[in-house]
Amino acid sequence: MPRPTLRSAFIAVVVAIVGLHLVAVTLAALPPNRYSDATRGQTSYLDPYFTQNWRLFAPNPISEDRSLLFQAAYTDADGDQVRTEWVDWTAVELDLVRHRLIGGRAGYVTNKLVSPLQSRAAALDDSQEVVVTSSPQTDPPSWAELSDELESAGASPTARLGFLRYEQAATQLATDVLQARYPDVELTAVRYAIRRQGVTPFAARGGTAAERRAARPEVVRDVGGWRRPTPGSASERASVRDFDRSHR
C-alpha cells in the first residue's frame, strides 16, 4: 500500500478546512433557529466578511431605516473644546446606491456595521453599558483601558471581545471620515450614533404624505461614548476621503 506523500496530505488538509468552512457558512446563513443558535459560537469567526442575513424575508423583514452618524471633538486656537457637526455617513453611502445602476460594495458599510454594533451592545448588561457610553470627551480611554473597565464590570471575554471588535471598526471609520471632513484640525475624540426610525405601518400606507409621516414611529438615536481617534492606514484614509468627496 503506497504511503501518503506530503503533497497529498497537504491537499487533504486544505479540502478538510474548505469543507468545514462551507459547513460553517451554511449554518450561519440559516434563518434563526435552534440549530443556527447552537452553532453561533463556532461560526463567529465569519464576522464580518462572510455574514449573511435574512432580513428581506418573513418573519422578520427590515422594518426600520438606520443611519450611522459620526462626530468629533478638537481643541480650537483659544484652547476650548469644540464639537463638529454630526456627519451622516449612511447618506454618503446611499448616494452610491441611488445614483448608479450598479453600486459598489462601499455602499453597504452601514448595513454590515450597524447590526453587529447593536447586537454586541445588547449583549452587555446595564452597568457595562454605562462603562461604554459614559467615556468623557476630554480624556477618552484607550482600548486596553476600556477592555479592563468592561472586565471589571463583569463582561464575559466573549461579550467584551465581540463588542470591542466592532467598536474599533466603527471608531476607525469615524476617524477617517472626520479627518477627511476636518483636515486642518487635530481630532481629540470621536464618537458614533445610530439613528433608527421604524417604517410607516402597512395599514397607514394608503393615506396622504402628511398622514404617512404622522403615522411613522419617532426617531430613536443611540449615542456611543467618546473614543480616542483611531486612524486607518494611509491607503484606507485616502480611500475614505476620495469616496466622501465623490458622494457627499
Side-chain angles (χ1 to χ4, degrees):
M1 182 175 180
R3 298 176 60 185
T5 64
L6 182 61
R7 180 171 179 270
S8 61
F10 175 77
I11 292 174
V13 170
V14 170
V15 170
I17 292 174
V18 171
L20 290 172
H21 176 69
L22 291 175
V23 171
V25 171
T26 301
L27 290 170
L30 289 173
N33 58 56
R34 60 179 179 174
Y35 303 107
S36 59
D37 290 343
T39 58
R40 187 167 298 164
Q42 288 71 39
T43 60
S44 61
Y45 80 93
L46 297 171
D47 292 342
Y49 298 107
F50 300 103
T51 53
Q52 303 291 325
N53 68 68
W54 290 77
R55 297 298 305 280
L56 293 178
F57 308 99
N60 60 338
I62 293 173
S63 59
E64 64 181 8
D65 291 328
R66 300 174 298 180
S67 298
L68 190 60
L69 302 95
F70 301 134
Q71 186 181 48
Y74 63 92
T75 304
D76 66 10
D78 296 325
D80 298 325
Q81 282 284 308
V82 180
R83 295 181 182 180
T84 67
E85 298 292 328
W86 283 98
V87 174
D88 188 342
W89 184 247
T90 300
V92 179
E93 292 182 351
L94 288 178
D95 179 80
L96 176 63
V97 177
R98 289 171 175 161
H99 297 117
R100 294 191 181 186
L101 179 62
I102 301 176
R105 296 297 297 173
Y108 302 95
V109 173
T110 295
N111 182 54
K112 286 290 187 181
L113 194 54
V114 168
S115 292
L117 284 171
Q118 290 180 301
S119 62
R120 268 55 180 190
L124 305 177
D125 66 22
D126 291 344
S127 62
Q128 296 154 14
E129 184 179 356
V130 170
V131 168
V132 300
T133 58
S134 62
S135 303
Q137 173 185 320
T138 54
D139 186 26
S142 68
W143 294 113
E145 290 169 341
L146 185 58
S147 178
D148 290 343
E149 289 176 13
L150 281 171
E151 185 176 12
S152 297
S156 68
T158 300
R160 187 172 72 253
L161 294 176
F163 174 82
L164 291 174
R165 175 191 298 179
Y166 285 96
E167 192 76 2
Q168 290 180 25
T171 300
Q172 179 180 318
L173 179 58
T175 303
D176 292 348
V177 168
L178 291 161
Q179 283 185 338
R181 291 287 180 103
Y182 300 91
D184 299 326
V185 301
E186 183 177 352
L187 307 182
T188 57
V190 299
R191 63 177 177 175
Y192 68 85
I194 297 175
R195 179 187 183 276
R196 300 179 288 116
Q197 185 176 24
V199 300
T200 302
F202 185 81
R205 293 185 181 181
T208 65
E211 290 171 338
R212 292 195 301 271
R213 285 195 299 270
R216 192 171 186 184
E218 294 292 328
V219 172
V220 176
R221 177 179 289 198
D222 300 318
V223 181
W226 291 99
R227 305 285 178 252
R228 293 186 183 181
T230 308
S233 65
S235 61
E236 289 170 330
R237 296 196 302 272
S239 178
V240 169
R241 182 185 63 246
D242 294 343
F243 183 85
D244 187 40
R245 288 176 178 174
S246 299
H247 298 287
R248 70 183 185 190

